[in-house]
């Protein structure tokens, strides 16, 4: 299958600071990436859809000025949590959608692959 | 938007038992995937199955698109199968998940 990495895997920051999380598709190009957050013992909540070269589409209730998303290349999307507060503490996960023509037939178009997640703690 | 419901919410099995997890969705879908989230939070792709039946070792899945449900079968369960199983549809709207605990 395809590999998606996230960095950092965990981060602790002080209230009021900004944190950037990177999501990379390592062995395929992803025109679309997704960002989720997950609270303990809950499901994944889609925050935004990121398309390469265009503005992200945010889900209802997600503050676009708070969670800045940039998808500058076909292999990299970043999520910046600006002026983080303790309530922003969560597990953030990205995913990348497989392209039309995958690796040696191993990928199905539209199949999504997830990064390992980033655990953010805001003090 | 599409509603995704998974059942049961929790499932406790003895090692070696079989189980069936269900995912219902409220409208027709183009994409459906099953994932296993391990204790470290990593989501592992199990099946990409918008329709039909697939098998991979002890796991298999069936999606009946016309009736808007998908089933994940786990046979001869092992303790390493423990974790949360999610189904997700279309733009990856996730169900609430089924928390599986397999006891030795």
């Amino acid at each position: 299958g395809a590999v998606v990495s996230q960095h950092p895997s965990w981060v602790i920051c002080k209230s009021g600071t900004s944190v950037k999380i990177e999501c990379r598709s390592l062995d395929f190009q992803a025109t679309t990436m997704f960002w989720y957050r997950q609270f303990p013992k809950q499901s994944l909540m889609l925050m935004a859809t990121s398309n390469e070269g265009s503005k992200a589409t945010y889900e209802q209730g997600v503050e676009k000025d708070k969670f800045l998303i940039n998808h500058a290349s076909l292999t990299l999307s970043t999520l910046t949590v600006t002026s983080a507060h303790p309530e922003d503490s969560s597990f953030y996960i990205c995913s990348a959608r497989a392209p039309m023509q995958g690796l040696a037939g191993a990928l199905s178009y539209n199949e999504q692959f997830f990064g390992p997640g980033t655990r953010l703690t805001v003090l | 938007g599409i509603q995704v419901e998974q059942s049961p919410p929790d499932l406790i099995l003895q090692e070696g038992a079989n189980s069936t997890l269900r995912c219902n969705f409220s409208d027709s879908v183009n994409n459906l995937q099953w994932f296993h989230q391990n204790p470290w939070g990593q989501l592992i792709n199990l099946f990409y199955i918008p329709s039909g039946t697939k098998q991979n070792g002890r796991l298999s899945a069936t999606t009946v698109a016309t009736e808007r449900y998908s089933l994940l079968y786990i046979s001869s369960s092992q303790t390493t199968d423990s974790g949360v199983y999610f189904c997700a549809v279309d733009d990856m709207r996730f169900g609430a998940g089924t928390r599986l605990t397999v006891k030795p």
Side-chain angles (χ1 to χ4, degrees):
Chain A
V3 180
V4 177
S5 70
Q6 261 184 260
H7 178 79
S9 54
W10 59 270
V11 56
I12 301 172
C13 69
K14 292 183 178 179
S15 188
T17 60
S18 295
V19 175
K20 180 185 282 189
I21 303 170
E22 292 186 349
C23 176
R24 294 180 185 273
S25 56
L26 297 186
D27 49 7
F28 67 100
Q29 294 181 331
T31 54
T32 304
M33 291 183 173
F34 301 82
W35 288 94
Y36 299 81
R37 65 187 299 181
Q38 184 180 31
F39 292 108
K41 300 206 173 183
Q42 292 189 21
S43 186
L44 280 74
M45 183 193 78
L46 180 65
M47 299 175 67
T49 302
S50 166
N51 291 296
E52 186 267 339
S54 63
K55 291 184 178 180
T57 302
Y58 291 81
E59 294 297 304
Q60 193 170 9
V62 178
E63 301 174 58
K64 62 177 72 175
D65 294 331
K66 173 100 180 141
F67 299 99
L68 300 179
I69 292 173
N70 184 275
H71 193 159
S73 78
L74 288 173
T75 59
L76 173 64
S77 177
T78 60
L79 168 68
T80 301
V81 184
T82 62
S83 187
H85 291 285
E87 57 266 29
D88 298 324
S89 299
S90 189
F91 189 54
Y92 292 87
I93 314 173
C94 73
S95 71
R97 174 182 282 169
M100 180 71 76
Q101 294 176 351
L103 304 170
L107 304 183
S108 303
Y109 178 58
N110 274 340
E111 185 172 3
Q112 300 229 29
F113 296 88
F114 282 79
T118 297
R119 201 162 300 279
L120 170 64
T121 302
V122 185
L123 302 176
Chain B
I2 295 176
Q3 304 300 311
V4 182
E5 294 183 355
Q6 289 187 245
S7 60
D10 294 281
L11 185 58
I12 301 174
L13 299 175
Q14 209 61 38
E15 197 168 27
N18 303 327
S19 62
T20 301
L21 283 58
R22 188 177 181 102
C23 172
N24 291 334
F25 39 95
S26 60
D27 204 346
S28 59
V29 299
N30 295 309
N31 308 305
L32 189 147
Q33 286 184 245
W34 283 97
F35 299 92
H36 174 213
Q37 188 170 37
N38 67 21
W40 298 272
Q42 172 75 61
L43 280 121
I44 299 164
N45 288 36
L46 298 178
F47 294 102
Y48 174 79
I49 188 167
S51 64
T53 297
K54 290 187 178 179
Q55 179 158 6
N56 184 4
R58 296 183 295 105
L59 274 59
S60 63
T62 295
T63 297
V64 184
T66 53
E67 296 189 22
R68 300 180 186 169
Y69 73 88
S70 182
L71 302 174
L72 176 69
Y73 305 97
I74 304 174
S75 64
S76 303
S77 59
Q78 300 175 358
T79 55
T80 50
D81 294 331
S82 295
V84 184
Y85 290 80
F86 290 105
C87 75
V89 302
D90 279 3
D91 286 339
M92 292 297 111
R93 310 287 169 171
F94 277 71
T98 292
R99 185 172 299 277
L100 174 65
T101 303
V102 180
K103 294 187 172 182

